[in-house]
Structures are given as structure tokens and as C-alpha cells.
Amino acid sequence: MRLRTSVLGMFLLIPLLVGALADAQISSWKPYLFLNNVGGLNDAFDPTAIADTEAADLQNVIFSTGGAIVKRSGFVRLNTVEVGGSGTAAFTGLFMYKQADGDRFLVSTVSDGATDRIYAMDYGAGTSGPDGTWDNITGGLSLTFGTDDLADFAAAQDIVVIEDGVNTTAPYRWDGTGNAIALAGSPPTSRFVEYHKRILWTAGNDTNPSRVTFSNLDDISTWTGTDFFAIETSDGQTVTGLKSALDCLYVWKQASIFRICGTNRDDFTQEQMVTGIGTCSNASIVVINNQFIFTTCQGDIAVYDGGITVQFLSTKIEGTIAGLNQDRFDQAVAVAFDDGTGDEDYYLSLSASGAATHNRLLIFDTFHRAWTKFTGIAANAMVPYEVGTLQEGLAFGNYRGRANRYPSGDEDFVSGGATTSGIAAFYVTKQYSFPDIPQDKTFRLLEVFANQEGSWNLTATTRADFESVGTASTISLAGSGAVFDTAVFDTDTYADLTTVIGRVEINKRRRFLQIRYDQSGANQPATIKGWHIWVEPEGRI
């Protein structure tokens, strides 16, 4: 009887001993929590050397103000009927034109082979947005410009001034009714227009490429032959950009920046502000927070304070820039746009290496000072515009005769056509090494905190010691609604009704760990709040 009691006691003790051993093992694990992973893309450094908050690679994600990684939204078509009908009509310019009485229009230039036109899209009644129909307002103008001749616009004296981007043509004008016509007063041929200090300024003249010309005060149809500035005519450069800001007119050349200050022809002053840095693309120059952001002719992206200081913003994305078509940097197109996160970001459209059209967006998040990038959006022209009331959207024109609205929904239209597709989004972390554990270690567990979304999944792939493939695990974003689940090591998911916690068993004895998150489903949003990595020192089981 005593022996039976002893044996029975041993069996009763086994679960307690196993539980105690498991608790001892888990208590030896070290937790590492990663929230606010909004350092952005850094593919210029080795993935072992980037900051914990940075990504070795990413695509089609944005960063929320609160620090989450969010799959970008999709876009919808502004015009369902293709402009031109050839399937190859390219938007070369877009402009939001709002008159003093509140009337609004979208204005565009479209190149369609031998048929190049100016279009306008009306707004619906009341607070309705654009009506979806591009009206041909070319009238009697004879236009010949190409896909890469980027248009420039200026709102002046309640009309829109249009320059088609060809340096042998003078500007046109449209007042919201009838057709566009040539700007009166024999203005000079140009590529760029800017309305500054109640004066219309032009530059990019075919015979005087270093000249900036200006109209009479409050009269954009009167031009005096002696009203111009010669911007260093013997420096081997031409004027490549005009931008009004900080109470002066700033003039870019390929490797220098000037400014013209004053209020009229009698007190205008000209001075050179920057030497050695300029731009090849007027369309890349954007003013955000009283600073200029622009692309240089060397393929960098810089910020200029309006004085003498220029800083490079693209140092950490040199890998991405190296994968672009450098020959098309003079066609770079950019806008300042708030995608709903509360701050204006720099949206830059460029071409991948080998591409003859724009198919990449680089976005500089000015709040987090971080880079991300989009694929699937072919934007040859872009403009922020009023969607209906004061809500802002981003209109972009592609190479298939359609303008589109971003952000809208969770899918993209394929090549601007009638079918939609999912958005291929991913985020790749650095190579974590956890230097406070210099000895061997075992990566035990990954917990991923994400928003509960529909009934779809997120894929988390763990790569140990620079694996090229790794181990993929599926995390349900549906959530179970339970406070806690019974699984300890599994890809099970638990949490409340708004957040899911995906648990992935890693169990790899290595020195480095990298995680890739993927979500490519159609009509499937995803938001990753952060993750928890549990590591056991010395690799002991």
C-alpha cells in the first residue's frame, strides 16, 4: 500500500514538475518589444547596421502618426471613359483651378501622338466633386508636345495660365468658359510660369535659356521687352525651375539657385544663394513647411531652407535610387500631399531602371522624416485637389488616358483599365542581433500586434542568419475575440475585438533574425502596430 501511494504521488507530481520546468525555461527568455517602427526605408546601409526602427526594404506601406505600419490605400478612376481612345494617351499636366466665386475645375494637358489637347473637368453642383468627364477646351490652338514635355500652370488674375512644357511655345490662358486661347501681349516662349507679387513670370525660353521674364504689375497680358533678368548667362547652365515662396521668387539652374526679391521693376534685386546644387526638373520642386524639396541633376533629393543651406534627404535610400532610370530624373514629378495622417508629405514620381514611363512613387514622410515607396501607380502628372467639399485627394494621370484618385478603397485599377487588383505590400525589418546577448541564442517566439481586419491573413516570414527564404507563418487578422488563447507555441491568434496578436513559434538557434511581413490580397487592408521577439540566451532548451 505504501508503494502504491508513492507511485501515485510521483504521477501526481509530474505535471507540476513539467509546469515548473516550462516556467523556468520561459522565465529565462528575454523579451524585445518593437513599437513605432517608422524610421522608414534604409537600403543604403547593411541591414545589420540600420536602426531598429528602420526597414531594410518595404513597398506600398505608409506610417501612421501613431507609429503603425499601414498598407496603402488603392485608387479609383476619375474618368471612366479613356481620353483619346488610342490606349496610349499620356497626361502631361494636372491643375486644380478654383476661381474667386468658388467655381472649380480640373485642368489637364494630354499627349496622344499627333493629337495633343487641353482638357477641363467640371465640378458637380453644390459640394459634389469632379463630374468625371474631360471636356476638350483646345479650341483653335495647334499643340504639339510629347509625353515627357511636362506642363506648368499658374493661377493669375482669376484665370489659369498654361504652358505646355515646350520651350518654343508661349503660354495659353483659360477663364473657365469656352476654349483656351493664346495669352495676349506677345509673351515670350517659355517652359515655366509662376505668378508672384501680382506679376506673371516665365522662363525656359528657347533663344534665351538663362532669362527670367516678367509681365506688368496686375496685367499679365502686357509685356515690356526690357523686363527680364539674365541669370548668369555665361555659366553653362539654363534656367530649370521657378517657384514663389518666402516672399521672393526662387530660380533654379542645373547647379545653382538664385532669388529675386522686391515688389516691382524699380526695386527688384537678384542674388545667387547656392552654388553647386540645382535641379533638372521644375516639376520636382515643392514647398512644404516653408522649405523647398527637389531632385538634383545627380539623382539626389534635397531640402533647401531658402537661404544658403541645402541638405540631402535621400542618403538612406541610395539603394532605391540606384535602381531607378537616372536618365529620366529631368522628368521627375512631385507634389505635397496629406494622405490623411495630418501632415503634408513629399510624393515623387520616377521611373524604375529600364522603364520609359513613371512607375514608382517615393514618399518622404515629413512628420517621421522617413521614406517609403509605392508600386502600381503610374503617375506622369499629379495634383492635390478638392474631392467634394474641402476633402483633399491626389489626382494623378497615367499613360492610358485616365486620371485617377488616390486614396480610395483598397485596390488598384490595372493599367488604368476596368479591372482591379490587390496591392502587394511588404515590410522587411533589419537583421536583429541583440548585442546584449553576445553568446549563442535561440529565437523562440514572435508576437505580432495588428488591427483586426475582416477574415484575411498576414504572412510573417522569419529568416535566421541571412536565410534567403526563411519560414513563412500565417497570422489571421480576423481575431478570436478571446482575451487569451490556450495555445502557447503556435500561429494562433487572440486578443480583443480591435486588435489581434499573432503568435509564431520560431525556435531557431542563430545569431541574426530578420522578419518580413506580407499582405497582397485584393481589397484587404492591414495595419501592423508592432511586434515582440522572445529570445533565449545561449540557445539552451
Side-chain angles (χ1 to χ4, degrees):
M1 185 68 180
R2 184 177 301 169
L3 179 59
R4 288 182 180 178
T5 303
S6 300
V7 172
L8 179 61
M10 290 176 63
F11 278 105
L12 292 174
L13 284 173
I14 286 175
L16 298 176
L17 291 172
V18 171
L21 180 60
D23 289 341
Q25 289 174 340
I26 294 175
S27 65
S28 69
W29 298 359
K30 297 192 66 174
Y32 295 87
L33 182 61
F34 298 93
L35 301 174
N36 293 308
N37 300 285
V38 291
L41 177 63
N42 186 344
D43 56 12
F45 305 168
D46 189 277
T48 61
I50 65 177
D52 288 351
T53 60
E54 294 176 339
D57 198 5
L58 50 70
Q59 176 179 288
N60 288 328
V61 297
I62 62 172
F63 309 116
S64 73
T65 304
I69 301 165
V70 183
K71 182 179 178 180
R72 75 160 171 86
S73 299
F75 62 85
V76 294
R77 296 172 298 178
L78 278 175
N79 57 296
T80 55
V81 178
E82 177 188 315
V83 172
S86 67
T88 59
F91 281 79
T92 62
L94 282 167
F95 186 71
M96 171 72 195
Y97 172 34
K98 188 172 183 178
Q99 297 179 323
D101 62 3
D103 288 345
R104 296 172 293 172
F105 308 89
L106 285 178
V107 181
S108 67
T109 53
V110 178
S111 175
D112 191 14
T115 307
D116 302 322
R117 297 187 176 98
I118 302 174
Y119 292 91
M121 183 179 289
D122 301 323
Y123 272 66
T127 59
S128 301
D131 64 11
T133 300
W134 286 110
D135 302 312
N136 182 6
I137 60 169
T138 309
L141 297 174
S142 179
L143 306 178
T144 304
F145 53 87
T147 300
D148 294 333
D149 293 318
L150 302 179
D152 198 23
F153 304 85
Q157 297 175 215
D158 218 26
I159 68 170
V160 58
V161 179
I162 306 161
E163 173 49 54
D164 60 14
V166 179
N167 65 1
T168 58
T169 61
Y172 318 109
R173 56 164 286 168
W174 186 59
D175 63 5
T177 60
N179 293 319
I181 59 175
L183 183 62
S186 299
T189 59
S190 58
R191 291 179 60 209
F192 319 118
V193 290
E194 190 77 356
Y195 192 59
H196 170 73
K197 295 286 187 180
R198 295 153 50 200
I199 295 170
L200 183 63
W201 301 74
T202 71
N205 182 273
D206 56 328
T207 58
N208 296 288
S210 289
R211 180 174 292 186
V212 176
T213 307
F214 56 95
S215 73
N216 276 16
L217 181 70
D218 291 326
D219 185 0
I220 63 173
S221 294
T222 300
W223 300 79
T224 302
T226 56
D227 284 349
F228 65 85
F229 284 90
I231 310 295
E232 291 294 333
T233 57
S234 300
D235 62 354
Q237 305 175 53
T238 63
V239 174
T240 54
L242 292 177
K243 189 66 63 175
S244 173
L246 305 174
D247 207 39
C248 292
L249 180 73
Y250 285 80
V251 183
W252 270 256
K253 302 185 85 173
Q254 285 92 343
S256 53
I257 304 174
F258 297 76
R259 74 178 178 191
I260 299 171
C261 299
T263 58
N264 57 70
R265 63 166 60 92
D266 297 323
D267 67 7
F268 283 140
T269 61
Q270 170 192 333
E271 56 185 334
Q272 183 169 351
M273 307 304 298
V274 175
T275 301
I277 298 175
T279 190
C280 287
S281 173
N282 176 67
S284 77
I285 308 170
V286 172
V287 179
I288 301 178
N289 298 329
N290 288 324
Q291 292 184 309
F292 302 94
I293 303 179
F294 62 96
T295 62
T296 72
C297 294
Q298 292 73 38
D300 297 305
I301 301 148
V303 59
Y304 170 47
D305 66 357
I308 61 173
T309 304
V310 178
Q311 296 177 313
F312 292 113
L313 297 176
S314 53
T315 305
K316 291 185 177 181
I317 58 169
E318 290 178 356
T320 293
I321 291 176
L324 298 174
N325 187 340
Q326 302 293 314
D327 293 334
R328 288 183 53 79
F329 257 79
D330 57 344
Q331 278 90 43
V333 177
V335 295
F337 179 63
D338 178 4
D339 57 9
T341 57
D343 59 297
E344 283 193 320
D345 299 330
Y346 183 68
Y347 276 62
L348 175 66
S349 184
L350 292 164
S351 306
S353 179
T357 56
H358 288 342
N359 56 4
R360 292 289 185 274
L361 280 184
L362 304 185
I363 297 93
F364 182 70
D365 184 319
T366 58
F367 180 79
H368 295 294
R369 298 192 66 80
W371 284 100
T372 184
K373 61 183 177 182
F374 292 175
T375 61
I377 294 179
N380 198 44
M382 296 188 292
V383 69
Y385 78 104
E386 292 181 12
V387 173
T389 54
L390 295 179
Q391 179 187 358
E392 188 177 72
L394 177 64
F396 70 91
N398 63 20
Y399 300 86
R400 296 287 301 275
R402 288 185 175 89
N404 305 278
R405 169 191 167 185
Y406 169 86
S408 183
D410 298 299
E411 294 183 308
D412 289 346
F413 276 88
V414 180
S415 300
T419 60
T420 58
S421 69
I423 300 166
F426 65 81
Y427 182 100
V428 183
T429 71
K430 68 173 293 183
Q431 291 279 355
Y432 297 115
S433 63
F434 307 111
D436 59 320
I437 309 178
Q439 67 272 36
D440 288 342
K441 65 205 77 172
T442 299
F443 300 104
R444 285 297 187 185
L445 180 67
L446 169 67
E447 294 178 307
V448 182
F449 315 117
N451 278 3
Q452 181 174 329
E453 301 277 7
S455 59
W456 44 87
N457 301 319
L458 175 73
T459 299
T461 301
T462 55
R463 303 168 176 170
D465 283 0
F466 310 99
E467 289 178 309
S468 59
V469 178
T471 303
S473 300
T474 299
I475 297 172
S476 171
L477 297 180
S480 64
V483 176
F484 202 86
D485 197 82
T486 56
V488 177
F489 304 122
D490 202 351
T491 58
D492 204 0
T493 305
Y494 63 93
D496 59 19
L497 296 179
T498 60
T499 304
V500 297
I501 304 177
R503 297 168 59 89
V504 177
E505 183 179 1
I506 305 173
N507 287 337
K508 294 182 180 181
R509 185 178 182 183
R510 298 289 191 272
R511 292 183 179 271
F512 292 91
L513 179 71
Q514 186 176 59
I515 308 164
R516 174 179 170 126
Y517 299 103
D518 284 272
Q519 218 293 340
S520 301
N523 198 27
Q524 296 182 7
T527 298
I528 303 172
K529 299 179 178 181
W531 49 89
H532 217 160
I533 302 174
W534 295 82
V535 184
E536 183 177 13
E538 300 181 358
R540 296 176 181 172
I541 299 177

